[in-house]
Amino acid sequence: MIEALQFEFMQHALLAGLLVSFAAGIIGSLIVVNRMVFLAGGIAHTSYGGIGLAVYFGLPIFLGASLFAVGAALLIAGLTLKKRHRMDTFIGLIWAVGMAIGVIFVDLTPGYNVDLMSYLFGSILAVSSEDLYFMSALLVLILMVITFWYRDILAVSYDSEYAGLRDVNVRFFYTLILILSALTVVIAIKVVGLILVIAMLTIPVYIAEKLSSSLFSMMFLSGAIATLFTLVGLWFSYTYNLTSGASIIIVSAVSLGTFLLFHKEK
């Protein structure tokens, strides 16, 4: 695979994989500890509405998907802050409506023949310089948020009622987690697609959770593990001429199975 790095698209793919993997590891940890795994799939599919709108109005795909995903995250935050036990109901509804909106606007776009496979299973080999700027900015934003507000996010994630008693702004941090999750899902779609995004956000986190003693170590170990899976998946994809996103997830799943086989619970 070394010789392939002479090509710009492979350099972009490798860098995108690294950026998205670390972002997914950190945010995936927050998704898991907040019990929002279904949220990742919901936002991923809801963001297809933004893809459809971007196609129809001639906007950048990332912009349309990001705005739609953030809008969905804000809506979910407003609906579920006091009723987290009903989150699956609201996410299921928004999931279906978002997908429907996207399909309708793609259908209404004259002369546009959309490649659904690139959104369903990712298109990491088609990452542009603008995409890399967006991914880099998001990772920097995530690192800044975690650095400055780690204790508050930790409190809200594990015991929001106690956090509220300690005068932590639960609404703000809960909404912030959802917005960062939405944006991370959008960039992960570029790597593994709508269908596989949940696996990318949860498999490395599951392994890291078993090996970590704190949320902080879990987040960064998840990022390292996700990066390893992405690199091996890209090599596998290049060597055997397979879809990159699917290859990354297969590598992740096989690694998880191997980990479960040899890891003993304490």
Side-chain angles (χ1 to χ4, degrees), residues 178-192:
L178 285 174
I179 290 174
L180 292 178
S181 299
L183 293 174
T184 302
V185 164
V186 169
I187 64 171
I189 288 173
K190 193 71 176 181
V191 176
V192 296

PDB file of all heavy atoms in Angstrom, residues 178-192:
ATOM      1  N   LEU A 178     -24.995  16.449  21.875  1.00  0.00           N
ATOM      2  CA  LEU A 178     -25.803  16.047  20.717  1.00  0.00           C
ATOM      3  C   LEU A 178     -25.329  16.732  19.436  1.00  0.00           C
ATOM      4  O   LEU A 178     -25.258  16.096  18.377  1.00  0.00           O
ATOM      5  CB  LEU A 178     -27.272  16.381  20.968  1.00  0.00           C
ATOM      6  CG  LEU A 178     -28.013  15.451  21.941  1.00  0.00           C
ATOM      7  CD1 LEU A 178     -29.418  15.988  22.203  1.00  0.00           C
ATOM      8  CD2 LEU A 178     -28.094  14.040  21.405  1.00  0.00           C
ATOM      9  N   ILE A 179     -24.981  18.008  19.513  1.00  0.00           N
ATOM     10  CA  ILE A 179     -24.514  18.729  18.324  1.00  0.00           C
ATOM     11  C   ILE A 179     -23.181  18.159  17.836  1.00  0.00           C
ATOM     12  O   ILE A 179     -22.995  17.913  16.636  1.00  0.00           O
ATOM     13  CB  ILE A 179     -24.374  20.229  18.623  1.00  0.00           C
ATOM     14  CG1 ILE A 179     -25.757  20.864  18.814  1.00  0.00           C
ATOM     15  CG2 ILE A 179     -23.635  20.943  17.495  1.00  0.00           C
ATOM     16  CD1 ILE A 179     -25.720  22.308  19.265  1.00  0.00           C
ATOM     17  N   LEU A 180     -22.246  17.932  18.751  1.00  0.00           N
ATOM     18  CA  LEU A 180     -20.962  17.349  18.365  1.00  0.00           C
ATOM     19  C   LEU A 180     -21.142  15.936  17.814  1.00  0.00           C
ATOM     20  O   LEU A 180     -20.443  15.533  16.873  1.00  0.00           O
ATOM     21  CB  LEU A 180     -20.006  17.333  19.562  1.00  0.00           C
ATOM     22  CG  LEU A 180     -19.525  18.690  20.061  1.00  0.00           C
ATOM     23  CD1 LEU A 180     -18.625  18.524  21.281  1.00  0.00           C
ATOM     24  CD2 LEU A 180     -18.788  19.444  18.963  1.00  0.00           C
ATOM     25  N   SER A 181     -22.091  15.199  18.388  1.00  0.00           N
ATOM     26  CA  SER A 181     -22.395  13.853  17.880  1.00  0.00           C
ATOM     27  C   SER A 181     -22.920  13.937  16.449  1.00  0.00           C
ATOM     28  O   SER A 181     -22.526  13.148  15.579  1.00  0.00           O
ATOM     29  CB  SER A 181     -23.423  13.170  18.777  1.00  0.00           C
ATOM     30  OG  SER A 181     -22.938  13.011  20.091  1.00  0.00           O
ATOM     31  N   ALA A 182     -23.800  14.906  16.203  1.00  0.00           N
ATOM     32  CA  ALA A 182     -24.376  15.073  14.864  1.00  0.00           C
ATOM     33  C   ALA A 182     -23.298  15.388  13.836  1.00  0.00           C
ATOM     34  O   ALA A 182     -23.259  14.799  12.746  1.00  0.00           O
ATOM     35  CB  ALA A 182     -25.429  16.180  14.890  1.00  0.00           C
ATOM     36  N   LEU A 183     -22.401  16.307  14.164  1.00  0.00           N
ATOM     37  CA  LEU A 183     -21.341  16.685  13.225  1.00  0.00           C
ATOM     38  C   LEU A 183     -20.354  15.542  13.001  1.00  0.00           C
ATOM     39  O   LEU A 183     -19.863  15.343  11.886  1.00  0.00           O
ATOM     40  CB  LEU A 183     -20.607  17.926  13.749  1.00  0.00           C
ATOM     41  CG  LEU A 183     -21.440  19.214  13.781  1.00  0.00           C
ATOM     42  CD1 LEU A 183     -20.665  20.333  14.462  1.00  0.00           C
ATOM     43  CD2 LEU A 183     -21.848  19.628  12.366  1.00  0.00           C
ATOM     44  N   THR A 184     -20.078  14.786  14.057  1.00  0.00           N
ATOM     45  CA  THR A 184     -19.176  13.638  13.918  1.00  0.00           C
ATOM     46  C   THR A 184     -19.809  12.566  13.044  1.00  0.00           C
ATOM     47  O   THR A 184     -19.125  11.925  12.224  1.00  0.00           O
ATOM     48  CB  THR A 184     -18.830  13.056  15.297  1.00  0.00           C
ATOM     49  OG1 THR A 184     -18.236  14.081  16.108  1.00  0.00           O
ATOM     50  CG2 THR A 184     -17.854  11.891  15.174  1.00  0.00           C
ATOM     51  N   VAL A 185     -21.093  12.352  13.204  1.00  0.00           N
ATOM     52  CA  VAL A 185     -21.804  11.390  12.363  1.00  0.00           C
ATOM     53  C   VAL A 185     -21.711  11.798  10.900  1.00  0.00           C
ATOM     54  O   VAL A 185     -21.495  10.958  10.018  1.00  0.00           O
ATOM     55  CB  VAL A 185     -23.282  11.266  12.803  1.00  0.00           C
ATOM     56  CG1 VAL A 185     -24.114  10.590  11.718  1.00  0.00           C
ATOM     57  CG2 VAL A 185     -23.381  10.489  14.107  1.00  0.00           C
ATOM     58  N   VAL A 186     -21.840  13.085  10.633  1.00  0.00           N
ATOM     59  CA  VAL A 186     -21.790  13.572   9.252  1.00  0.00           C
ATOM     60  C   VAL A 186     -20.433  13.275   8.613  1.00  0.00           C
ATOM     61  O   VAL A 186     -20.360  12.804   7.475  1.00  0.00           O
ATOM     62  CB  VAL A 186     -22.092  15.086   9.196  1.00  0.00           C
ATOM     63  CG1 VAL A 186     -21.781  15.642   7.807  1.00  0.00           C
ATOM     64  CG2 VAL A 186     -23.554  15.349   9.530  1.00  0.00           C
ATOM     65  N   ILE A 187     -19.339  13.544   9.336  1.00  0.00           N
ATOM     66  CA  ILE A 187     -18.030  13.271   8.737  1.00  0.00           C
ATOM     67  C   ILE A 187     -17.750  11.771   8.662  1.00  0.00           C
ATOM     68  O   ILE A 187     -17.049  11.306   7.764  1.00  0.00           O
ATOM     69  CB  ILE A 187     -16.880  13.998   9.475  1.00  0.00           C
ATOM     70  CG1 ILE A 187     -16.726  13.501  10.908  1.00  0.00           C
ATOM     71  CG2 ILE A 187     -17.094  15.494   9.448  1.00  0.00           C
ATOM     72  CD1 ILE A 187     -15.455  14.031  11.593  1.00  0.00           C
ATOM     73  N   ALA A 188     -18.332  11.004   9.590  1.00  0.00           N
ATOM     74  CA  ALA A 188     -18.151   9.552   9.545  1.00  0.00           C
ATOM     75  C   ALA A 188     -18.872   8.947   8.344  1.00  0.00           C
ATOM     76  O   ALA A 188     -18.446   7.920   7.804  1.00  0.00           O
ATOM     77  CB  ALA A 188     -18.650   8.912  10.842  1.00  0.00           C
ATOM     78  N   ILE A 189     -19.961   9.593   7.908  1.00  0.00           N
ATOM     79  CA  ILE A 189     -20.688   9.125   6.725  1.00  0.00           C
ATOM     80  C   ILE A 189     -19.763   9.128   5.513  1.00  0.00           C
ATOM     81  O   ILE A 189     -19.838   8.240   4.657  1.00  0.00           O
ATOM     82  CB  ILE A 189     -21.925  10.017   6.470  1.00  0.00           C
ATOM     83  CG1 ILE A 189     -22.995   9.747   7.521  1.00  0.00           C
ATOM     84  CG2 ILE A 189     -22.493   9.784   5.067  1.00  0.00           C
ATOM     85  CD1 ILE A 189     -24.175  10.699   7.445  1.00  0.00           C
ATOM     86  N   LYS A 190     -18.872  10.104   5.449  1.00  0.00           N
ATOM     87  CA  LYS A 190     -17.941  10.190   4.319  1.00  0.00           C
ATOM     88  C   LYS A 190     -17.012   8.986   4.283  1.00  0.00           C
ATOM     89  O   LYS A 190     -16.579   8.545   3.218  1.00  0.00           O
ATOM     90  CB  LYS A 190     -17.114  11.476   4.434  1.00  0.00           C
ATOM     91  CG  LYS A 190     -16.334  11.836   3.179  1.00  0.00           C
ATOM     92  CD  LYS A 190     -17.257  12.302   2.065  1.00  0.00           C
ATOM     93  CE  LYS A 190     -16.506  12.766   0.850  1.00  0.00           C
ATOM     94  NZ  LYS A 190     -17.391  13.238  -0.226  1.00  0.00           N
ATOM     95  N   VAL A 191     -16.712   8.424   5.452  1.00  0.00           N
ATOM     96  CA  VAL A 191     -15.777   7.306   5.541  1.00  0.00           C
ATOM     97  C   VAL A 191     -16.472   5.960   5.408  1.00  0.00           C
ATOM     98  O   VAL A 191     -16.053   5.107   4.627  1.00  0.00           O
ATOM     99  CB  VAL A 191     -14.997   7.366   6.877  1.00  0.00           C
ATOM    100  CG1 VAL A 191     -14.093   6.152   7.033  1.00  0.00           C
ATOM    101  CG2 VAL A 191     -14.178   8.641   6.942  1.00  0.00           C
ATOM    102  N   VAL A 192     -17.552   5.744   6.168  1.00  0.00           N
ATOM    103  CA  VAL A 192     -18.193   4.422   6.174  1.00  0.00           C
ATOM    104  C   VAL A 192     -19.650   4.434   5.724  1.00  0.00           C
ATOM    105  O   VAL A 192     -20.252   3.359   5.558  1.00  0.00           O
ATOM    106  CB  VAL A 192     -18.098   3.761   7.574  1.00  0.00           C
ATOM    107  CG1 VAL A 192     -16.655   3.500   7.934  1.00  0.00           C
ATOM    108  CG2 VAL A 192     -18.767   4.635   8.634  1.00  0.00           C
TER     109      VAL A 192
END
